[in-house]
Amino acid sequence: MARFKGVEVLADGYGISNDELDACAKAQRVEVRRGDFVIIRTGQMEACLKAKKWGGYAGGDAPGVKFENCYWCHEKEIAAICSDTWGVEVRPNEVKDHNQPWHRVVIPAMGL
């Protein structure tokens, strides 16, 4: 995703939209289908390694998928999704009254 956006690393707090995921897949000439594993590279881990500082990596702000991604994962019927961030979803969370709202949907409701 970072390469698709033309940067080395997506900024902390950057929310990746479903439209961006679809556009990136199209640019890479791949089709996301049922049972696929989706791997998202934001550049965050590489940036931490390069700086030799982990800062808030394990629980702090991070780029990641927006809450709307729950629908994308369900529609695509993917088997798994992962990224080079500690939690896949954007931090700070878009939903202020719940910690890790994306996880509260994709794990218990979809088994992702």
Side-chain angles (χ1 to χ4, degrees), residues 18-34:
N18 293 341
D19 288 343
E20 288 174 308
L21 290 172
D22 288 334
C24 183
K26 184 176 180 180
Q28 296 295 320
R29 297 187 197 116
V30 298
E31 180 183 351
V32 179
R33 298 179 297 193
R34 183 175 195 244

Side-chain angles (χ1 to χ4, degrees), residues 32-45:
V32 179
R33 298 179 297 193
R34 183 175 195 244
D36 282 350
F37 279 55
V38 175
I39 302 170
I40 299 170
R41 183 187 164 279
T42 68
Q44 188 189 42
M45 182 180 284

